Amino acid sequence: MSAGSLAMVVETDPAQGHALAAPEIRARFSRLIEDGTPPNTRRSYAADLRYFRSWFEISGFGEPSLPIRADILVRFVVDHVEGLPEQVDAALVAAGVKTRSGLPRIATVSRKMAAIASWHRTAGFRSPLADGPVREVMRRARQAAARRGQRPRKKKAALRETVQALLANRSAPTAADVRDDAMILFAFASGGRRRSEVVDARIENLEEIDGEYVYRLGITKTEQEGSDRTVPVAGRAAAALRAWLALVDEAEGPIFRAVDRHGNIGRTPLNGRAVARVVQRRAAAAGLDARIYGGHSLRSGFITESGRQGKSIFDAMQLSGHRSMQTVAGYHQAGTALSNEAGRLFDL
């Protein structure tokens, strides 16, 4: 939650005062919310609330205060699925909260609505997405987007041979090459780590056992209170990681760090975009279409490859940390599709 949205929470009912009105209480509340929200979520929600506030004011509804009326939220969805009025669209672009004119994808609308719902819940109000007209219009909007041909934009899964192609395979690799090889193999082989888990990985969470590693995950997207769950970094992935750690030569701190153009290794961790750029750069170097690959390719590739090799979906989920069987099943089944004997009934 941003400072601006916090202020809006505190000022919802000035006539009766507010238990969070005192500056020192506001500061403590703000610190609790900031520390308890994943950084990526915090940034995206703050941007989405800035956008909503601008849309609210430009559309003529005045200054937003909680709870937001259901009819206004329905209008927000309609505007962003059916089309914004031209003057409102142009004003949002001019205000710098919208990159370009035109309709966003339904996933973007869903994320903005999730930010609005979180804003309500944090302030003690019922989520407008819990039930009623706002929930229903969002359901219809997703169905309409699907029938109009919108599909989720997913990066292509990186299978085993793709990951092999992404590796440097150079006789004299640079420090950045060694890091990138270790990072790609760590992300793939330890269970398809999320980009955030890769950049947050720390040396002190590694335990070396017989030349291989066990890594303690700690805080993840689905385990925000921290976890003692461990995953293996074994075989070739362990060898690549050991080579990189020998260059880092530190006992603690981020595993995957910035390397400058002179080959000097810093102490600053990479960010999520850097993970995607490494995958795309290596894909281009291997003659692959870099546009269809990204950081998530290693995560989805692990699940797909596990299905392809006949590994248990439950074993794969144990390492990946997926909680939704529905999400995992799509990737896993993609790997098993050609080995499904029911698809060869005509050949029997």
Side-chain angles (χ1 to χ4, degrees), residues 251-288:
E252 60 183 25
I255 295 177
F256 302 108
R257 307 162 178 230
V259 177
D260 68 21
R261 59 192 180 93
H262 302 294
N264 299 313
I265 300 170
R267 295 190 172 183
T268 306
L270 298 178
N271 58 40
R273 289 192 182 93
V275 177
R277 284 196 294 267
V278 166
V279 172
Q280 291 169 339
R281 186 169 63 246
R282 288 292 187 85
L288 304 173

PDB file of all heavy atoms in Angstrom, residues 251-288:
ATOM      1  N   ALA A 251      30.274 -15.982   2.009  1.00  0.00           N
ATOM      2  CA  ALA A 251      29.558 -16.946   2.832  1.00  0.00           C
ATOM      3  C   ALA A 251      28.090 -16.591   3.007  1.00  0.00           C
ATOM      4  O   ALA A 251      27.300 -17.393   3.514  1.00  0.00           O
ATOM      5  CB  ALA A 251      30.219 -17.061   4.206  1.00  0.00           C
ATOM      6  N   GLU A 252      27.721 -15.387   2.591  1.00  0.00           N
ATOM      7  CA  GLU A 252      26.328 -14.964   2.718  1.00  0.00           C
ATOM      8  C   GLU A 252      26.017 -13.909   1.665  1.00  0.00           C
ATOM      9  O   GLU A 252      26.910 -13.423   0.973  1.00  0.00           O
ATOM     10  CB  GLU A 252      26.040 -14.432   4.120  1.00  0.00           C
ATOM     11  CG  GLU A 252      26.881 -13.241   4.500  1.00  0.00           C
ATOM     12  CD  GLU A 252      26.620 -12.779   5.927  1.00  0.00           C
ATOM     13  OE1 GLU A 252      26.177 -13.594   6.758  1.00  0.00           O
ATOM     14  OE2 GLU A 252      26.850 -11.583   6.196  1.00  0.00           O
ATOM     15  N   GLY A 253      24.748 -13.579   1.569  1.00  0.00           N
ATOM     16  CA  GLY A 253      24.316 -12.583   0.592  1.00  0.00           C
ATOM     17  C   GLY A 253      23.613 -13.233  -0.588  1.00  0.00           C
ATOM     18  O   GLY A 253      23.436 -14.456  -0.637  1.00  0.00           O
ATOM     19  N   PRO A 254      23.200 -12.429  -1.549  1.00  0.00           N
ATOM     20  CA  PRO A 254      22.484 -12.971  -2.704  1.00  0.00           C
ATOM     21  C   PRO A 254      23.364 -13.916  -3.513  1.00  0.00           C
ATOM     22  O   PRO A 254      24.566 -13.680  -3.664  1.00  0.00           O
ATOM     23  CB  PRO A 254      22.103 -11.724  -3.509  1.00  0.00           C
ATOM     24  CG  PRO A 254      23.056 -10.669  -3.068  1.00  0.00           C
ATOM     25  CD  PRO A 254      23.360 -10.961  -1.633  1.00  0.00           C
ATOM     26  N   ILE A 255      22.761 -14.974  -4.020  1.00  0.00           N
ATOM     27  CA  ILE A 255      23.527 -15.908  -4.860  1.00  0.00           C
ATOM     28  C   ILE A 255      23.803 -15.288  -6.216  1.00  0.00           C
ATOM     29  O   ILE A 255      24.953 -15.273  -6.688  1.00  0.00           O
ATOM     30  CB  ILE A 255      22.764 -17.238  -5.023  1.00  0.00           C
ATOM     31  CG1 ILE A 255      22.627 -17.954  -3.686  1.00  0.00           C
ATOM     32  CG2 ILE A 255      23.482 -18.142  -6.031  1.00  0.00           C
ATOM     33  CD1 ILE A 255      21.814 -19.245  -3.742  1.00  0.00           C
ATOM     34  N   PHE A 256      22.766 -14.768  -6.853  1.00  0.00           N
ATOM     35  CA  PHE A 256      22.906 -14.274  -8.229  1.00  0.00           C
ATOM     36  C   PHE A 256      23.005 -12.754  -8.220  1.00  0.00           C
ATOM     37  O   PHE A 256      22.042 -12.051  -7.959  1.00  0.00           O
ATOM     38  CB  PHE A 256      21.742 -14.779  -9.081  1.00  0.00           C
ATOM     39  CG  PHE A 256      21.672 -16.278  -9.087  1.00  0.00           C
ATOM     40  CD1 PHE A 256      20.657 -16.944  -8.405  1.00  0.00           C
ATOM     41  CD2 PHE A 256      22.638 -17.034  -9.736  1.00  0.00           C
ATOM     42  CE1 PHE A 256      20.605 -18.332  -8.389  1.00  0.00           C
ATOM     43  CE2 PHE A 256      22.602 -18.416  -9.712  1.00  0.00           C
ATOM     44  CZ  PHE A 256      21.574 -19.069  -9.042  1.00  0.00           C
ATOM     45  N   ARG A 257      24.218 -12.278  -8.532  1.00  0.00           N
ATOM     46  CA  ARG A 257      24.565 -10.876  -8.362  1.00  0.00           C
ATOM     47  C   ARG A 257      24.909 -10.218  -9.694  1.00  0.00           C
ATOM     48  O   ARG A 257      25.194 -10.883 -10.680  1.00  0.00           O
ATOM     49  CB  ARG A 257      25.778 -10.752  -7.436  1.00  0.00           C
ATOM     50  CG  ARG A 257      25.609 -11.464  -6.115  1.00  0.00           C
ATOM     51  CD  ARG A 257      26.937 -11.683  -5.444  1.00  0.00           C
ATOM     52  NE  ARG A 257      26.766 -12.334  -4.134  1.00  0.00           N
ATOM     53  CZ  ARG A 257      27.319 -11.903  -3.021  1.00  0.00           C
ATOM     54  NH1 ARG A 257      28.115 -10.839  -3.037  1.00  0.00           N
ATOM     55  NH2 ARG A 257      27.107 -12.532  -1.893  1.00  0.00           N
ATOM     56  N   ALA A 258      24.904  -8.894  -9.648  1.00  0.00           N
ATOM     57  CA  ALA A 258      25.287  -8.129 -10.830  1.00  0.00           C
ATOM     58  C   ALA A 258      26.768  -8.335 -11.134  1.00  0.00           C
ATOM     59  O   ALA A 258      27.597  -8.451 -10.229  1.00  0.00           O
ATOM     60  CB  ALA A 258      24.999  -6.655 -10.596  1.00  0.00           C
ATOM     61  N   VAL A 259      27.082  -8.387 -12.413  1.00  0.00           N
ATOM     62  CA  VAL A 259      28.470  -8.452 -12.884  1.00  0.00           C
ATOM     63  C   VAL A 259      28.660  -7.302 -13.862  1.00  0.00           C
ATOM     64  O   VAL A 259      27.901  -7.168 -14.831  1.00  0.00           O
ATOM     65  CB  VAL A 259      28.753  -9.791 -13.600  1.00  0.00           C
ATOM     66  CG1 VAL A 259      30.182  -9.814 -14.146  1.00  0.00           C
ATOM     67  CG2 VAL A 259      28.513 -10.965 -12.659  1.00  0.00           C
ATOM     68  N   ASP A 260      29.668  -6.443 -13.610  1.00  0.00           N
ATOM     69  CA  ASP A 260      29.845  -5.303 -14.510  1.00  0.00           C
ATOM     70  C   ASP A 260      30.572  -5.713 -15.788  1.00  0.00           C
ATOM     71  O   ASP A 260      30.985  -6.879 -15.946  1.00  0.00           O
ATOM     72  CB  ASP A 260      30.550  -4.142 -13.797  1.00  0.00           C
ATOM     73  CG  ASP A 260      32.022  -4.433 -13.446  1.00  0.00           C
ATOM     74  OD1 ASP A 260      32.634  -5.337 -14.063  1.00  0.00           O
ATOM     75  OD2 ASP A 260      32.559  -3.754 -12.552  1.00  0.00           O
ATOM     76  N   ARG A 261      30.736  -4.777 -16.697  1.00  0.00           N
ATOM     77  CA  ARG A 261      31.313  -5.096 -18.010  1.00  0.00           C
ATOM     78  C   ARG A 261      32.777  -5.480 -17.933  1.00  0.00           C
ATOM     79  O   ARG A 261      33.339  -6.001 -18.902  1.00  0.00           O
ATOM     80  CB  ARG A 261      31.122  -3.933 -18.972  1.00  0.00           C
ATOM     81  CG  ARG A 261      31.745  -2.628 -18.542  1.00  0.00           C
ATOM     82  CD  ARG A 261      31.259  -1.479 -19.402  1.00  0.00           C
ATOM     83  NE  ARG A 261      31.843  -0.212 -19.014  1.00  0.00           N
ATOM     84  CZ  ARG A 261      32.947   0.294 -19.551  1.00  0.00           C
ATOM     85  NH1 ARG A 261      33.589  -0.387 -20.492  1.00  0.00           N
ATOM     86  NH2 ARG A 261      33.424   1.454 -19.159  1.00  0.00           N
ATOM     87  N   HIS A 262      33.393  -5.227 -16.783  1.00  0.00           N
ATOM     88  CA  HIS A 262      34.795  -5.631 -16.602  1.00  0.00           C
ATOM     89  C   HIS A 262      34.909  -6.993 -15.920  1.00  0.00           C
ATOM     90  O   HIS A 262      36.013  -7.457 -15.649  1.00  0.00           O
ATOM     91  CB  HIS A 262      35.537  -4.582 -15.767  1.00  0.00           C
ATOM     92  CG  HIS A 262      35.513  -3.205 -16.370  1.00  0.00           C
ATOM     93  ND1 HIS A 262      36.140  -2.902 -17.556  1.00  0.00           N
ATOM     94  CD2 HIS A 262      34.895  -2.065 -15.939  1.00  0.00           C
ATOM     95  CE1 HIS A 262      35.943  -1.621 -17.832  1.00  0.00           C
ATOM     96  NE2 HIS A 262      35.194  -1.094 -16.874  1.00  0.00           N
ATOM     97  N   GLY A 263      33.762  -7.611 -15.625  1.00  0.00           N
ATOM     98  CA  GLY A 263      33.761  -8.917 -14.984  1.00  0.00           C
ATOM     99  C   GLY A 263      33.808  -8.878 -13.472  1.00  0.00           C
ATOM    100  O   GLY A 263      33.968  -9.922 -12.826  1.00  0.00           O
ATOM    101  N   ASN A 264      33.665  -7.676 -12.900  1.00  0.00           N
ATOM    102  CA  ASN A 264      33.673  -7.549 -11.446  1.00  0.00           C
ATOM    103  C   ASN A 264      32.314  -7.951 -10.875  1.00  0.00           C
ATOM    104  O   ASN A 264      31.270  -7.488 -11.353  1.00  0.00           O
ATOM    105  CB  ASN A 264      33.996  -6.107 -11.035  1.00  0.00           C
ATOM    106  CG  ASN A 264      35.366  -5.674 -11.513  1.00  0.00           C
ATOM    107  OD1 ASN A 264      36.344  -6.396 -11.344  1.00  0.00           O
ATOM    108  ND2 ASN A 264      35.452  -4.500 -12.128  1.00  0.00           N
ATOM    109  N   ILE A 265      32.323  -8.791  -9.865  1.00  0.00           N
ATOM    110  CA  ILE A 265      31.091  -9.285  -9.247  1.00  0.00           C
ATOM    111  C   ILE A 265      30.746  -8.395  -8.067  1.00  0.00           C
ATOM    112  O   ILE A 265      31.554  -8.210  -7.154  1.00  0.00           O
ATOM    113  CB  ILE A 265      31.263 -10.740  -8.781  1.00  0.00           C
ATOM    114  CG1 ILE A 265      31.608 -11.635  -9.969  1.00  0.00           C
ATOM    115  CG2 ILE A 265      29.998 -11.241  -8.083  1.00  0.00           C
ATOM    116  CD1 ILE A 265      32.021 -13.042  -9.577  1.00  0.00           C
ATOM    117  N   GLY A 266      29.539  -7.844  -8.088  1.00  0.00           N
ATOM    118  CA  GLY A 266      29.110  -6.956  -7.022  1.00  0.00           C
ATOM    119  C   GLY A 266      28.362  -7.703  -5.933  1.00  0.00           C
ATOM    120  O   GLY A 266      28.357  -8.933  -5.883  1.00  0.00           O
ATOM    121  N   ARG A 267      27.701  -6.950  -5.087  1.00  0.00           N
ATOM    122  CA  ARG A 267      26.900  -7.542  -4.018  1.00  0.00           C
ATOM    123  C   ARG A 267      25.409  -7.280  -4.216  1.00  0.00           C
ATOM    124  O   ARG A 267      24.592  -7.680  -3.387  1.00  0.00           O
ATOM    125  CB  ARG A 267      27.342  -6.988  -2.661  1.00  0.00           C
ATOM    126  CG  ARG A 267      28.773  -7.399  -2.312  1.00  0.00           C
ATOM    127  CD  ARG A 267      29.119  -7.064  -0.886  1.00  0.00           C
ATOM    128  NE  ARG A 267      30.411  -7.621  -0.497  1.00  0.00           N
ATOM    129  CZ  ARG A 267      30.929  -7.530   0.724  1.00  0.00           C
ATOM    130  NH1 ARG A 267      30.262  -6.902   1.674  1.00  0.00           N
ATOM    131  NH2 ARG A 267      32.099  -8.068   0.994  1.00  0.00           N
ATOM    132  N   THR A 268      25.080  -6.617  -5.308  1.00  0.00           N
ATOM    133  CA  THR A 268      23.686  -6.284  -5.591  1.00  0.00           C
ATOM    134  C   THR A 268      22.998  -7.447  -6.280  1.00  0.00           C
ATOM    135  O   THR A 268      23.506  -7.958  -7.291  1.00  0.00           O
ATOM    136  CB  THR A 268      23.603  -5.042  -6.501  1.00  0.00           C
ATOM    137  OG1 THR A 268      24.330  -3.974  -5.910  1.00  0.00           O
ATOM    138  CG2 THR A 268      22.158  -4.620  -6.711  1.00  0.00           C
ATOM    139  N   PRO A 269      21.844  -7.888  -5.778  1.00  0.00           N
ATOM    140  CA  PRO A 269      21.148  -8.998  -6.448  1.00  0.00           C
ATOM    141  C   PRO A 269      20.553  -8.555  -7.776  1.00  0.00           C
ATOM    142  O   PRO A 269      20.290  -7.371  -8.002  1.00  0.00           O
ATOM    143  CB  PRO A 269      20.044  -9.366  -5.445  1.00  0.00           C
ATOM    144  CG  PRO A 269      19.787  -8.102  -4.685  1.00  0.00           C
ATOM    145  CD  PRO A 269      21.125  -7.421  -4.577  1.00  0.00           C
ATOM    146  N   LEU A 270      20.361  -9.499  -8.663  1.00  0.00           N
ATOM    147  CA  LEU A 270      19.661  -9.220  -9.912  1.00  0.00           C
ATOM    148  C   LEU A 270      18.182  -8.971  -9.609  1.00  0.00           C
ATOM    149  O   LEU A 270      17.689  -9.299  -8.540  1.00  0.00           O
ATOM    150  CB  LEU A 270      19.794 -10.414 -10.859  1.00  0.00           C
ATOM    151  CG  LEU A 270      21.206 -10.781 -11.308  1.00  0.00           C
ATOM    152  CD1 LEU A 270      21.155 -12.011 -12.205  1.00  0.00           C
ATOM    153  CD2 LEU A 270      21.861  -9.619 -12.043  1.00  0.00           C
ATOM    154  N   ASN A 271      17.476  -8.394 -10.581  1.00  0.00           N
ATOM    155  CA  ASN A 271      16.034  -8.270 -10.423  1.00  0.00           C
ATOM    156  C   ASN A 271      15.330  -9.244 -11.363  1.00  0.00           C
ATOM    157  O   ASN A 271      15.958  -9.912 -12.184  1.00  0.00           O
ATOM    158  CB  ASN A 271      15.575  -6.825 -10.675  1.00  0.00           C
ATOM    159  CG  ASN A 271      15.947  -6.325 -12.067  1.00  0.00           C
ATOM    160  OD1 ASN A 271      15.848  -7.065 -13.051  1.00  0.00           O
ATOM    161  ND2 ASN A 271      16.352  -5.072 -12.169  1.00  0.00           N
ATOM    162  N   GLY A 272      14.015  -9.335 -11.219  1.00  0.00           N
ATOM    163  CA  GLY A 272      13.251 -10.299 -12.008  1.00  0.00           C
ATOM    164  C   GLY A 272      13.376 -10.084 -13.502  1.00  0.00           C
ATOM    165  O   GLY A 272      13.408 -11.050 -14.276  1.00  0.00           O
ATOM    166  N   ARG A 273      13.450  -8.840 -13.910  1.00  0.00           N
ATOM    167  CA  ARG A 273      13.582  -8.553 -15.346  1.00  0.00           C
ATOM    168  C   ARG A 273      14.913  -9.075 -15.878  1.00  0.00           C
ATOM    169  O   ARG A 273      15.004  -9.496 -17.029  1.00  0.00           O
ATOM    170  CB  ARG A 273      13.469  -7.050 -15.603  1.00  0.00           C
ATOM    171  CG  ARG A 273      12.059  -6.489 -15.404  1.00  0.00           C
ATOM    172  CD  ARG A 273      11.950  -5.082 -15.951  1.00  0.00           C
ATOM    173  NE  ARG A 273      10.640  -4.522 -15.730  1.00  0.00           N
ATOM    174  CZ  ARG A 273      10.300  -3.782 -14.678  1.00  0.00           C
ATOM    175  NH1 ARG A 273      11.193  -3.541 -13.735  1.00  0.00           N
ATOM    176  NH2 ARG A 273       9.088  -3.297 -14.553  1.00  0.00           N
ATOM    177  N   ALA A 274      15.941  -9.024 -15.042  1.00  0.00           N
ATOM    178  CA  ALA A 274      17.252  -9.505 -15.472  1.00  0.00           C
ATOM    179  C   ALA A 274      17.210 -10.994 -15.765  1.00  0.00           C
ATOM    180  O   ALA A 274      17.861 -11.475 -16.705  1.00  0.00           O
ATOM    181  CB  ALA A 274      18.303  -9.201 -14.405  1.00  0.00           C
ATOM    182  N   VAL A 275      16.436 -11.751 -14.986  1.00  0.00           N
ATOM    183  CA  VAL A 275      16.302 -13.193 -15.226  1.00  0.00           C
ATOM    184  C   VAL A 275      15.693 -13.425 -16.605  1.00  0.00           C
ATOM    185  O   VAL A 275      16.175 -14.237 -17.391  1.00  0.00           O
ATOM    186  CB  VAL A 275      15.440 -13.861 -14.137  1.00  0.00           C
ATOM    187  CG1 VAL A 275      15.249 -15.339 -14.443  1.00  0.00           C
ATOM    188  CG2 VAL A 275      16.072 -13.680 -12.763  1.00  0.00           C
ATOM    189  N   ALA A 276      14.621 -12.682 -16.906  1.00  0.00           N
ATOM    190  CA  ALA A 276      13.974 -12.820 -18.208  1.00  0.00           C
ATOM    191  C   ALA A 276      14.924 -12.423 -19.334  1.00  0.00           C
ATOM    192  O   ALA A 276      14.976 -13.084 -20.381  1.00  0.00           O
ATOM    193  CB  ALA A 276      12.709 -11.970 -18.254  1.00  0.00           C
ATOM    194  N   ARG A 277      15.690 -11.357 -19.124  1.00  0.00           N
ATOM    195  CA  ARG A 277      16.610 -10.901 -20.169  1.00  0.00           C
ATOM    196  C   ARG A 277      17.701 -11.931 -20.438  1.00  0.00           C
ATOM    197  O   ARG A 277      18.109 -12.131 -21.590  1.00  0.00           O
ATOM    198  CB  ARG A 277      17.227  -9.553 -19.774  1.00  0.00           C
ATOM    199  CG  ARG A 277      16.289  -8.368 -19.946  1.00  0.00           C
ATOM    200  CD  ARG A 277      17.044  -7.055 -19.920  1.00  0.00           C
ATOM    201  NE  ARG A 277      17.634  -6.799 -18.618  1.00  0.00           N
ATOM    202  CZ  ARG A 277      17.046  -6.105 -17.654  1.00  0.00           C
ATOM    203  NH1 ARG A 277      15.829  -5.622 -17.838  1.00  0.00           N
ATOM    204  NH2 ARG A 277      17.656  -5.887 -16.509  1.00  0.00           N
ATOM    205  N   VAL A 278      18.187 -12.588 -19.388  1.00  0.00           N
ATOM    206  CA  VAL A 278      19.204 -13.631 -19.572  1.00  0.00           C
ATOM    207  C   VAL A 278      18.643 -14.751 -20.436  1.00  0.00           C
ATOM    208  O   VAL A 278      19.291 -15.217 -21.388  1.00  0.00           O
ATOM    209  CB  VAL A 278      19.690 -14.175 -18.210  1.00  0.00           C
ATOM    210  CG1 VAL A 278      20.468 -15.482 -18.388  1.00  0.00           C
ATOM    211  CG2 VAL A 278      20.561 -13.143 -17.506  1.00  0.00           C
ATOM    212  N   VAL A 279      17.437 -15.210 -20.105  1.00  0.00           N
ATOM    213  CA  VAL A 279      16.815 -16.292 -20.886  1.00  0.00           C
ATOM    214  C   VAL A 279      16.630 -15.856 -22.333  1.00  0.00           C
ATOM    215  O   VAL A 279      16.945 -16.612 -23.262  1.00  0.00           O
ATOM    216  CB  VAL A 279      15.468 -16.702 -20.253  1.00  0.00           C
ATOM    217  CG1 VAL A 279      14.721 -17.680 -21.162  1.00  0.00           C
ATOM    218  CG2 VAL A 279      15.689 -17.321 -18.881  1.00  0.00           C
ATOM    219  N   GLN A 280      16.149 -14.653 -22.547  1.00  0.00           N
ATOM    220  CA  GLN A 280      15.900 -14.186 -23.910  1.00  0.00           C
ATOM    221  C   GLN A 280      17.194 -13.975 -24.685  1.00  0.00           C
ATOM    222  O   GLN A 280      17.272 -14.291 -25.873  1.00  0.00           O
ATOM    223  CB  GLN A 280      15.071 -12.899 -23.864  1.00  0.00           C
ATOM    224  CG  GLN A 280      13.644 -13.152 -23.394  1.00  0.00           C
ATOM    225  CD  GLN A 280      12.876 -11.878 -23.088  1.00  0.00           C
ATOM    226  OE1 GLN A 280      13.463 -10.820 -22.853  1.00  0.00           O
ATOM    227  NE2 GLN A 280      11.551 -11.977 -23.071  1.00  0.00           N
ATOM    228  N   ARG A 281      18.215 -13.459 -24.014  1.00  0.00           N
ATOM    229  CA  ARG A 281      19.499 -13.255 -24.684  1.00  0.00           C
ATOM    230  C   ARG A 281      20.115 -14.590 -25.083  1.00  0.00           C
ATOM    231  O   ARG A 281      20.627 -14.744 -26.197  1.00  0.00           O
ATOM    232  CB  ARG A 281      20.440 -12.485 -23.758  1.00  0.00           C
ATOM    233  CG  ARG A 281      21.758 -12.097 -24.411  1.00  0.00           C
ATOM    234  CD  ARG A 281      22.539 -11.133 -23.561  1.00  0.00           C
ATOM    235  NE  ARG A 281      22.930 -11.703 -22.270  1.00  0.00           N
ATOM    236  CZ  ARG A 281      22.473 -11.284 -21.102  1.00  0.00           C
ATOM    237  NH1 ARG A 281      21.587 -10.312 -21.043  1.00  0.00           N
ATOM    238  NH2 ARG A 281      22.904 -11.850 -19.978  1.00  0.00           N
ATOM    239  N   ARG A 282      20.044 -15.561 -24.192  1.00  0.00           N
ATOM    240  CA  ARG A 282      20.594 -16.880 -24.499  1.00  0.00           C
ATOM    241  C   ARG A 282      19.767 -17.568 -25.595  1.00  0.00           C
ATOM    242  O   ARG A 282      20.314 -18.277 -26.443  1.00  0.00           O
ATOM    243  CB  ARG A 282      20.617 -17.743 -23.240  1.00  0.00           C
ATOM    244  CG  ARG A 282      21.680 -17.317 -22.217  1.00  0.00           C
ATOM    245  CD  ARG A 282      23.093 -17.592 -22.753  1.00  0.00           C
ATOM    246  NE  ARG A 282      24.125 -17.368 -21.771  1.00  0.00           N
ATOM    247  CZ  ARG A 282      24.538 -18.247 -20.863  1.00  0.00           C
ATOM    248  NH1 ARG A 282      23.977 -19.444 -20.822  1.00  0.00           N
ATOM    249  NH2 ARG A 282      25.498 -17.951 -20.012  1.00  0.00           N
ATOM    250  N   ALA A 283      18.445 -17.351 -25.567  1.00  0.00           N
ATOM    251  CA  ALA A 283      17.596 -17.943 -26.606  1.00  0.00           C
ATOM    252  C   ALA A 283      17.964 -17.386 -27.973  1.00  0.00           C
ATOM    253  O   ALA A 283      18.080 -18.129 -28.958  1.00  0.00           O
ATOM    254  CB  ALA A 283      16.120 -17.680 -26.301  1.00  0.00           C
ATOM    255  N   ALA A 284      18.171 -16.080 -28.046  1.00  0.00           N
ATOM    256  CA  ALA A 284      18.555 -15.459 -29.314  1.00  0.00           C
ATOM    257  C   ALA A 284      19.902 -15.978 -29.786  1.00  0.00           C
ATOM    258  O   ALA A 284      20.092 -16.259 -30.988  1.00  0.00           O
ATOM    259  CB  ALA A 284      18.597 -13.940 -29.155  1.00  0.00           C
ATOM    260  N   ALA A 285      20.846 -16.130 -28.867  1.00  0.00           N
ATOM    261  CA  ALA A 285      22.169 -16.635 -29.233  1.00  0.00           C
ATOM    262  C   ALA A 285      22.108 -18.066 -29.752  1.00  0.00           C
ATOM    263  O   ALA A 285      22.939 -18.478 -30.564  1.00  0.00           O
ATOM    264  CB  ALA A 285      23.107 -16.552 -28.027  1.00  0.00           C
ATOM    265  N   ALA A 286      21.090 -18.824 -29.284  1.00  0.00           N
ATOM    266  CA  ALA A 286      20.938 -20.217 -29.716  1.00  0.00           C
ATOM    267  C   ALA A 286      20.111 -20.340 -30.993  1.00  0.00           C
ATOM    268  O   ALA A 286      19.848 -21.459 -31.453  1.00  0.00           O
ATOM    269  CB  ALA A 286      20.289 -21.031 -28.601  1.00  0.00           C
ATOM    270  N   GLY A 287      19.709 -19.197 -31.541  1.00  0.00           N
ATOM    271  CA  GLY A 287      18.919 -19.228 -32.770  1.00  0.00           C
ATOM    272  C   GLY A 287      17.446 -19.468 -32.543  1.00  0.00           C
ATOM    273  O   GLY A 287      16.701 -19.775 -33.488  1.00  0.00           O
ATOM    274  N   LEU A 288      16.982 -19.311 -31.294  1.00  0.00           N
ATOM    275  CA  LEU A 288      15.564 -19.478 -30.969  1.00  0.00           C
ATOM    276  C   LEU A 288      14.865 -18.123 -31.025  1.00  0.00           C
ATOM    277  O   LEU A 288      15.512 -17.071 -31.027  1.00  0.00           O
ATOM    278  CB  LEU A 288      15.411 -20.086 -29.577  1.00  0.00           C
ATOM    279  CG  LEU A 288      16.115 -21.424 -29.334  1.00  0.00           C
ATOM    280  CD1 LEU A 288      16.019 -21.819 -27.866  1.00  0.00           C
ATOM    281  CD2 LEU A 288      15.521 -22.510 -30.219  1.00  0.00           C
TER     282      LEU A 288
END
